[in-house]
Amino acid sequence: MAPDTDSPRNDAPLAVRWSGRISLTLRILAVNVFALALLAGGFFYLDSYRTRIVDDRLEQSARELKLLAIGLENAPPELHDKLVAAYARQTDDRVRRYAPDGRLIADSFTLDAPRYRLRLPSEEELKRHVARFLDKMMDRVVFADRPPNFEEPAVDRAQAWPEIMLADKTGRPQAANRYAPDRTFMISAAVKMKDGTSLLSTENARDITRIVRAERLRLGIVLAAAVLASVLLSLFLARTIAQPIQSLARAAVRVRLGRAREVTVPRLPERRDEIGMLARALSDMSHALRQRIDATDAFAADVSHELKNPIASLRSALDALDRVEQPDLRTQLMDICKEDVRRLDRLVTDIAEASRIDAQLSRTRFEPIDLGLLIEKMVIAREARGVPRGVRLAFARPRKDVAVVLGEEQRLIRVLDNLIDNAVSFSPDGGLVQIIATVADNEVLVSVEDEGPGVPESEREHVFRRFHSVRPESEAFGKHSGLGLAIARSIVEGHQGKVSIADREDEQSGARFIVRLPMAVERDPGLVSE
């Protein structure tokens, strides 16, 4: 699916252009119709069924006429006409007997009442014409062979009947099938008798046509019902599949065109299938995109605001340098300029770090990291450098290879550095910062506790916002960018973890930052396929 790239000029419903020329609705209908085509193949079976009936009737007529010939050969000549008439009454055939020279010597139609009458199409009602039209259509669809038309010869002699001539030549009974004027079947059979005479039976087998037409009607009713059900099913599927997808596609196009705030992606809560899952996933994605855009806009505004202060201070100091002649004042102004430059450098570095975290974490390959060993190395390195104001660091290290997580080492070091820096800056002189790493419920918990004033509950969520900085009164302004805790939360969430603030467990004053990271699960080597 390729949505239309042209931007609409108004709020009219957006058109969605599909990659193919056939819509999903038509494709659904085509699939169902294809299945119906297989059902329509029943007409080929019907033609085969009709052929079998005709073949059976031809064989039956030849066999019965052979029995009549045997009876005539064993009966006295004065009973021949009576046998022929009785046979015609029982079979509804017209039976003719021809002399060896081909002359007609007996006809059941003259010996008894005619058993059938050929109907002309002009004499029949409209429904018969419709039935014959359907017969022709079915024959064309299944490519059926058309038998020759039946016609009474102008001079009724044995030589006018091909089946008699073939029976005379082969010495075996012969049968033939023809079409009567009304397209019903004419079944004929011929037998050569020992005395040189020939027997011919003809039958207007209208019952075959009735049987085939009745079966065709039943098949047609089933096919019509199947077509109706298929169309209704296709419309239902189109309504339950194609229409929701089109609605979601239009909403996605509007989001892409920058209308995210005014677009409500349907969540389809009543749908518990894959389309409902897709709708809710797109709605959540749109909501997340809207939040990301809002966060980007807010971040840009915050960056602009935070950069203005040091830039304004730097500009003022540089402007004053041109007017100040006293060396001590010039030195003081230069110190201010240097401090503002350092502050700008720190801000730009932290801003770049905060803006790249998500993208970098999405491309980073996580590796198993023992947080206990990592924190121990960090504490030793900090103590070697010296901790400001005599603040002490204490770390309760867990057993080796217990507090193991999957992550990127440098990012996790940044998280721990930021939390320890924050705890040290709020701790009183000579205070104690305790770092604890434990394992609980398949999670690695790292807590950093200080002895500072703590964080009020109303501020515990705000401190993780970008550029939100509440610093100790003793700390000089501009020492921190206000991005440290925000960066820490982004990194932790990028590792599928959480960071929060709580009171100390010993009910003493101070803050307790808790980082929860999923514990690394080692794979069983026996389950790894080679």
Side-chain angles (χ1 to χ4, degrees):
M1 182 189 72
D4 194 352
T5 56
D6 297 334
S7 299
R9 298 179 179 275
N10 49 42
D11 291 335
L14 297 178
V16 178
R17 186 175 59 206
W18 301 89
S19 58
R21 293 184 179 272
I22 303 178
S23 68
L24 184 59
T25 301
L26 293 179
R27 292 179 184 182
I28 293 173
L29 182 59
V31 170
N32 290 328
V33 169
F34 176 75
L36 291 176
L38 299 179
L39 179 62
F43 286 107
F44 289 90
Y45 167 78
L46 188 61
D47 176 64
S48 175
Y49 174 70
R50 178 180 61 184
T51 302
R52 288 198 303 271
I53 293 178
V54 172
D55 290 343
D56 289 344
R57 187 64 62 85
L58 291 172
E59 183 180 351
Q60 178 184 348
S61 295
R63 185 172 58 251
E64 291 176 350
L65 191 62
K66 178 64 175 177
L67 293 176
L68 175 61
I70 294 173
L72 293 175
E73 289 172 349
N74 292 278
E78 61 271 15
L79 296 179
H80 286 182
D81 289 346
K82 293 183 179 180
L83 288 175
V84 168
Y87 177 86
R89 283 194 299 271
Q90 292 296 321
T91 60
D92 291 333
D93 291 355
R94 180 178 183 179
V95 182
R96 284 173 266 202
R97 189 178 178 198
Y98 296 92
D101 60 358
R103 291 179 298 104
L104 178 65
I105 57 177
D107 185 352
S108 65
F109 272 23
T110 60
L111 297 174
D112 197 3
R115 309 309 300 177
Y116 65 82
R117 184 180 71 86
L118 297 182
R119 297 178 182 176
L120 298 177
S122 59
E123 301 174 351
E124 295 184 320
E125 53 191 358
L126 177 61
K127 66 178 183 179
R128 301 291 183 185
H129 292 276
V130 174
R132 280 192 297 274
F133 174 77
L134 294 177
D135 292 339
K136 293 178 182 178
M137 290 298 100
M138 190 183 77
D139 288 346
R140 291 181 181 179
V141 169
V142 301
F143 304 103
D145 295 330
R146 174 184 170 86
N149 293 328
F150 177 83
E151 294 181 359
E152 289 285 347
V155 178
D156 194 355
R157 296 181 60 84
Q159 292 80 1
W161 300 96
E163 52 266 51
I164 294 179
M165 304 307 296
L166 188 59
D168 187 17
K169 182 178 180 181
T170 62
R172 295 192 302 271
Q174 299 295 323
N177 171 40
R178 298 180 180 86
Y179 267 160
D182 60 351
R183 285 185 64 89
T184 56
F185 291 98
M186 290 295 299
I187 304 297
S188 61
V191 175
K192 188 73 172 180
M193 297 178 60
K194 293 179 180 180
D195 60 359
T197 60
S198 301
L199 288 177
L200 174 71
S201 68
T202 56
E203 173 191 5
N204 187 198
R206 307 180 67 86
D207 58 321
I208 296 178
T209 303
R210 286 195 298 269
I211 292 172
V212 173
R213 286 176 179 175
E215 293 299 321
R216 184 183 64 202
L217 177 61
R218 295 188 186 97
L219 181 61
I221 292 174
V222 172
L223 183 60
V227 168
L228 179 61
S230 177
V231 171
L232 294 177
L233 179 61
S234 299
L235 295 177
F236 170 76
L237 291 176
R239 182 174 181 179
T240 57
I241 296 177
Q243 290 184 3
I245 291 178
Q246 288 178 352
S247 299
L248 294 174
R250 292 190 186 98
V253 170
R254 292 174 68 88
V255 171
R256 180 181 61 81
L257 295 177
R259 302 181 178 182
R261 291 190 176 280
E262 62 185 66
V263 176
T264 300
V265 179
R267 294 185 61 85
L268 305 180
E270 71 282 357
R271 298 290 293 264
R272 299 298 177 184
D273 53 8
E274 289 80 359
I275 291 183
M277 294 172 59
L278 174 63
R280 289 183 284 277
L282 286 177
S283 178
D284 293 340
M285 182 186 69
S286 175
H287 182 68
L289 177 62
R290 187 180 298 118
Q291 288 183 328
R292 179 63 62 87
I293 293 173
D294 291 343
T296 301
D297 293 343
F299 182 63
D302 292 340
V303 168
S304 175
H305 179 268
E306 292 296 323
L307 290 178
K308 281 182 179 180
N309 291 332
I311 291 175
S313 175
L314 181 60
R315 181 187 297 114
S316 299
L318 291 175
D319 290 342
L321 277 175
D322 294 335
R323 299 190 299 271
V324 173
E325 299 295 339
Q326 296 87 343
D328 56 341
L329 291 179
R330 292 180 64 85
T331 300
Q332 185 179 357
L333 289 174
M334 286 301 297
D335 290 340
I336 293 175
C337 291
K338 292 177 182 178
E339 181 62 29
D340 288 337
V341 169
R342 285 192 293 268
R343 183 182 173 192
L344 283 172
D345 180 67
R346 185 164 50 249
L347 273 172
V348 171
T349 301
D350 287 347
I351 289 170
E353 176 75 12
S355 63
R356 292 196 304 263
I357 287 175
D358 292 340
Q360 290 178 346
L361 285 177
S362 64
R363 298 191 298 268
T364 300
R365 180 181 179 85
F366 287 178
E367 297 178 352
I369 298 173
D370 187 343
L371 281 183
L373 181 60
L374 181 65
I375 297 173
E376 184 177 37
K377 292 179 179 179
M378 292 177 61
V379 170
I380 293 174
R382 274 182 172 267
E383 290 177 340
R385 293 195 307 266
V387 184
R389 297 180 290 105
V391 176
R392 295 163 297 151
L393 300 179
F395 173 52
R397 187 186 186 284
R399 289 184 293 107
K400 186 178 179 180
D401 297 332
V402 172
V404 179
V405 299
L406 289 176
E408 203 273 318
E409 183 174 354
Q410 293 303 317
R411 296 295 178 184
L412 293 177
I413 289 176
R414 180 64 186 271
V415 171
L416 297 170
D417 268 337
N418 288 353
L419 294 180
I420 294 174
D421 282 343
N422 183 78
V424 170
S425 64
F426 279 96
S427 294
D429 296 346
L432 177 65
V433 174
Q434 298 185 63
I435 308 167
I436 303 173
T438 58
V439 175
D441 298 331
N442 293 325
E443 287 185 328
V444 176
L445 277 64
V446 177
S447 65
V448 179
E449 298 181 357
D450 60 52
E451 296 179 342
V455 181
E457 290 191 10
S458 59
E459 293 290 327
R460 289 180 180 177
E461 186 63 28
H462 296 166
V463 297
F464 291 105
R465 294 180 181 176
R466 289 168 175 170
F467 303 110
H468 183 89
S469 181
V470 179
R471 308 309 307 169
E473 296 179 358
S474 60
E475 184 178 284
F477 177 75
K479 293 292 184 181
H480 292 82
S481 63
L483 289 172
L485 293 180
I487 291 174
R489 167 171 275 190
S490 296
I491 295 174
V492 171
E493 290 179 349
H495 286 72
Q496 309 302 316
K498 295 180 181 179
V499 58
S500 58
I501 304 175
D503 295 325
R504 288 172 56 119
E505 292 183 343
D506 56 8
E507 298 183 357
Q508 299 294 324
S509 64
R512 180 170 176 247
F513 285 79
I514 304 172
V515 175
R516 300 174 183 270
L517 293 171
M519 193 170 141
V521 178
E522 296 184 358
R523 298 179 64 182
D524 185 354
L527 298 178
V528 180
S529 59
E530 297 183 2

